[in-house]
Amino acid sequence: MTGLEVSVNLTRAARWLALALLAPMTVALTPGAGHAADTPAIALSEATVGNVFTTGRTPEVDVTTTGDALAWTATDTAGTVVASGQQPVHAGRTALRLPLDRLGWFSVAVTASRSGTVLGTATTTLARLDPPGAAAPGGSPFGVSAHYSFPGVTADSIPLLAQAGLTNERDEMMWGSVERTKGQYDFPYDAYRDQLAGNGVAPLVILDYGNPNYDGGQAPTSAEGIAAFAKYADALVGHNGGKVAAYEIWNEWNIGFGGTPRTPESYFALQKAVYETVKADHPDVTLVAPTLAGTDMQWLEQWMKLGGLRYTDAVSLHPYMYPQAPEGLAPVLAQLQDLIKRYGGGASKPVWITEQGWPTGTNVTAGSENAQAADLVRSGLLAVAGGAARYFSYDFVDDGTDPGNLEHNFGLLHSPADPLGAYTPKPAYAAYAALTRQLSGATFGREEAVGAGVHDLVFARGNAQVRALWSPNPTSVTLHTGTKLVVTDLYGNARTYSPDGRGAITLALTGDPLYVTGPVTAVTAGGNSALAARPAFVGDPLAVNWTADNTDGRKPLALRLKLAGGTYALQVPAGQSRTLAISLPAPGGAGDRSLVGDVYSADERVGRLRADLTVRDALQLQAKHVMDGNGGQQLRLSVANVSASDHTLGALDWTLGPAGGTALQGVAVPSGGRQQVDIPLSAGTKTPYTAKLTVQGQPTLDISGTVMPVAAGSSTAVPRRTITVDGRLDDLSGLPAIRLPEDGTVQMSGYGGAADLSGSLWFTYDEQNLYVSADITDDVQSQPGTGSDIWQGDSLQFAVGSGAPGEQTAWSEIGAALTTSGPQLFRWVADGESSGAIPGAQVAITRDEATHRTTYELAVPWSHLQPIQPADRLISLSLLVNDNDGSGRRGWIEWGGGIGGAKDSSLFNPAELTG
């Protein structure tokens, strides 16, 4: 888990006490009811739980409507309409059958009409899967975390585990519900346990959380509490017998989940007691520890030094990576394996990843549903390749319907209350199901080096070779083979490809893994055919270039490309390359699209090409809260023309609270140009606004939000001052500092005062950069991490957003640390840009051990802090200093908020660029 995930787990931790006091519960099994109709005109309901179908059954949706006719479309994850149709309706109800000919996830939109007049449209999602294969010897490594033990959660979705081929499920049987009276045990969780078994799913049960009969309901640390917890564990294992084979001791002790004291020593005391007590009576049961939150290797190493490996059958952790790429999992697992061998006398021990998730929604750290699918599959592949014996995705079903709440959006299925329907799938469900089928019975062999960013994992499945190939940065590879290969996409659709005359098959790789079955002698970077899409705008045809390279060939090539329903031919002389410009129909709206086509030589399919693109509106409407040089505040509405054509505006209509008006009527905006209008703001309470832009031949653009005027004198001044980034704080004369802890808040237990952690901070700027300077006193310098993990050691983290606090839905969060590899700067959250390194940023950090002082100087270009511009003057800032004294992150001192806890821009501080 990165610093970004701390808030996720602390959110879950806030619920632990209530969960520990649950009354005994029963599990009701009811069919999926579908969603309520938005209007009486049309409502959809589910013909099967979650709209999940396996091949052999035609997908269908039940429709209730006041109309007499339906029109429907099914769209895949690439944004392509893959099927459509019309159907009459009699007596207000019908079963709408959807003849889909491919596997995967689909969004289905159904429009009802009467006598030709449209009454309304309803939408749902569905998945079409191959039947799950027979259980592999030793079982599948893949599973999910779920919440069937929680109050009000039914077991309706359990059959969807089996349909996805997920044979492992992680859940709780909490102490506070099992031992409600001292020394007496009840077992209220048998219903969901038996329902799992009936579907062929093996539970991993978490032994967790406090009991009000001991230690005040907190995590057990007294001798009495520890002994009682061990007895509860033993009683539960005995009651479950052979119906539960594996148990995990607590959940995320190291971040205080369940009121814990966090230390390896306190956890070890509990773990040892549980292991010795349970194993004495049940030697064959599997006990798993320490269920670490994140990737804090210092904590793990200290736990191992205490002897933690002797009292566990597998080592478990929760290596959350979002919003960074999942490829960070590989070095984490390698480091963990090294630690296990070092402290295990050279012996290895199974590793279980019992939580790792990728949230969707609108939260600043969430991703798209398509990205969740690819990230989950890449994580699962890397986990198996890194030696993980079990991999549990967190979690199975969304916990709610608020798109901005991270905890509501980790699921592979929508929540029971979702308007799309109870337990309807996200793309990740279909992709995870395809992964279980591809790796059923497979063992990992090796990873082959291909080229920068390309991952080529080789598995053996019986006598067959299966490769998983992907590249986060789109590229092409050549498969060298003498026979036909089966290439299966992320969602399970398989096609056969033949080698061309040179024994080569070209594959375009993206972040969506492809599975290749068959003998491959080598995989090399590059290919002899490629597809590239030019910038795309709503209303304009899609422009695509197909290039075929025959520069190393001795014979001419005659190729055909089947793309988007069309066929295109290209003749390429020997020793040359050719490019064909292709025009495709204009897309219906803005959004991400994928174009996938097959290349043919004669009648043989010899290559798979793909181009990903984002279709944008030609005009971009934006609202920003800005200041002028006199401290006056305005709502700035701007229209940018990002297309290659000039446009003339119809009108920009706006409202600001009760006021409103029209601006920019008939104004021309040339290609690459911008027009704007400033609306004065009055000091006071937050005020809602709307803006609507009309342009002939273009979609109407609407935006809305809330502007929060800043009270006079409440902003922190950020003076104009250029800093030479050299690690010497000699550019700050005359500038006031932010003092810590005086101007901030201490968020750590056992804080030892100024000598423990304190310092001075400065924000300055010029037209090119935002600068951060800091002089930090810290008695112990400890930074074990690099890259996205620097938050776990001594470091700075700061956030910067546009406008006043709370107005932002996206912002940048950046950190800096003095690592064993030298000074590093890393961005976890980015507004419209990638996380990771920031082009053009500068960092210098020095440490003086004699005085225990660490100095930081950072420069971040405004060009990579969009949409902020220095002329806006008003920004929002927050900063914290992390502390690690050699045994894990102790906590932090923060100025502002919204970083170390919940990711919340309303906790930032307003700041004004002055000078």
Side-chain angles (χ1 to χ4, degrees), residues 77-78 105 142 321-329 356-360 367-383 391 393 410-412 426-435 455 457 468-474 489-492 509-515 592 594 610 612:
T77 58
W105 174 95
F142 298 114
M321 300 285 169
Y322 73 92
Q324 280 73 61
E327 284 69 33
L329 180 60
Q356 189 183 45
W358 304 91
T360 62
S368 70
E369 291 193 355
N370 284 357
Q372 179 194 39
D375 288 342
L376 171 60
V377 170
R378 283 150 58 185
S379 298
L381 288 165
L382 290 166
Y391 180 85
S393 171
F410 278 91
L412 311 183
K426 297 180 186 178
Y429 175 80
Y432 205 16
L435 173 65
H455 293 265
L457 307 183
L469 286 156
W470 75 91
S471 174
N473 298 313
D489 70 15
L490 181 65
Y491 297 100
L509 299 184
T510 67
D512 292 359
L514 296 174
Y515 309 99
D592 293 334
S594 295
R610 172 169 166 167
D612 292 343

Side-chain angles (χ1 to χ4, degrees), residues 187-265:
F187 302 100
Y189 300 106
D190 291 359
Y192 95 75
R193 179 202 66 191
D194 293 343
Q195 182 70 7
L196 288 169
N199 283 271
V201 179
L204 166 63
V205 170
I206 316 167
L207 304 168
D208 60 8
Y209 303 142
N211 187 311
N213 295 309
Y214 306 95
D215 293 333
Q218 297 294 305
T221 52
S222 68
E224 180 192 20
I226 290 173
F229 187 89
K231 290 178 181 178
Y232 135 77
D234 193 48
L236 183 62
V237 172
H239 170 77
N240 287 329
K243 295 181 179 180
V244 178
Y247 296 82
E248 197 166 23
I249 303 172
W250 209 261
N251 180 57
E252 300 186 345
W253 185 284
N254 65 305
I255 63 166
F257 207 166
T260 61
R262 299 175 181 246
T263 65
E265 291 78 9

Side-chain angles (χ1 to χ4, degrees), residues 247-555:
Y247 296 82
E248 197 166 23
I249 303 172
W250 209 261
N251 180 57
E252 300 186 345
W253 185 284
N254 65 305
I255 63 166
F257 207 166
T260 61
R262 299 175 181 246
T263 65
E265 291 78 9
S266 59
Y267 177 79
F268 177 74
L270 181 70
Q271 172 204 358
K272 182 174 183 291
V274 170
Y275 193 89
E276 291 179 333
T277 300
V278 172
K279 285 288 189 175
D281 295 328
H282 312 283
D284 294 332
V285 74
T286 297
L287 295 178
V288 184
T291 182
L292 183 83
T295 58
D296 188 341
M297 293 297 164
Q298 283 184 316
W299 196 99
L300 269 176
E301 185 169 6
Q302 182 60 30
W303 169 74
M304 291 181 190
K305 286 179 179 178
L306 294 167
L309 290 174
R310 294 198 299 272
Y311 301 98
T312 186
D313 301 315
V315 176
S316 62
L317 76 164
H318 300 168
Y320 284 95
M321 300 285 169
Y322 73 92
Q324 280 73 61
E327 284 69 33
L329 180 60
V332 166
L333 290 176
Q335 188 177 2
L336 176 59
Q337 297 283 11
D338 287 344
L339 279 177
I340 291 173
K341 290 179 181 179
R342 187 190 315 165
Y343 290 97
S348 62
K349 195 173 280 282
V351 171
W352 290 21
I353 295 176
T354 54
E355 280 188 30
Q356 189 183 45
W358 304 91
T360 62
T362 59
N363 187 281
V364 68
T365 60
S368 70
E369 291 193 355
N370 284 357
Q372 179 194 39
D375 288 342
L376 171 60
V377 170
R378 283 150 58 185
S379 298
L381 288 165
L382 290 166
V384 174
R390 291 288 185 273
Y391 180 85
F392 293 79
S393 171
Y394 183 88
D395 61 359
F396 192 43
V397 179
D398 278 348
D399 292 338
T401 59
D402 178 359
N405 185 327
L406 276 178
E407 190 61 30
H408 283 194
N409 293 282
F410 278 91
L412 311 183
L413 305 173
H414 297 117
S415 84
D418 197 286
L420 291 170
Y423 310 118
T424 50
K426 297 180 186 178
Y429 175 80
Y432 205 16
L435 173 65
T436 68
R437 287 150 174 79
Q438 288 297 310
L439 292 196
S440 177
T443 56
F444 175 69
R446 63 191 184 278
E447 179 168 10
E448 294 191 348
V450 177
V454 175
H455 293 265
D456 179 10
L457 307 183
V458 184
F459 299 83
R461 187 176 59 204
N463 294 325
Q465 181 188 89
V466 180
R467 291 173 183 261
L469 286 156
W470 75 91
S471 174
N473 298 313
T475 190
S476 293
V477 295
T478 297
L479 309 181
H480 299 274
T481 181
T483 187
K484 293 183 177 182
L485 303 175
V486 176
V487 178
T488 304
D489 70 15
L490 181 65
Y491 297 100
N493 296 288
R495 286 189 174 180
T496 300
Y497 292 80
S498 301
D500 62 17
R502 293 171 290 185
I505 296 172
T506 295
L507 290 184
L509 299 184
T510 67
D512 292 359
L514 296 174
Y515 309 99
V516 177
T517 303
V520 176
T521 57
V523 178
T524 56
N528 60 8
S529 201
L531 197 64
R534 285 177 276 173
F537 301 97
V538 174
D540 294 340
L542 293 178
V544 181
N545 287 337
W546 171 31
T547 299
D549 186 353
N550 194 24
T551 53
D552 61 352
R554 296 184 179 182
K555 297 180 180 180

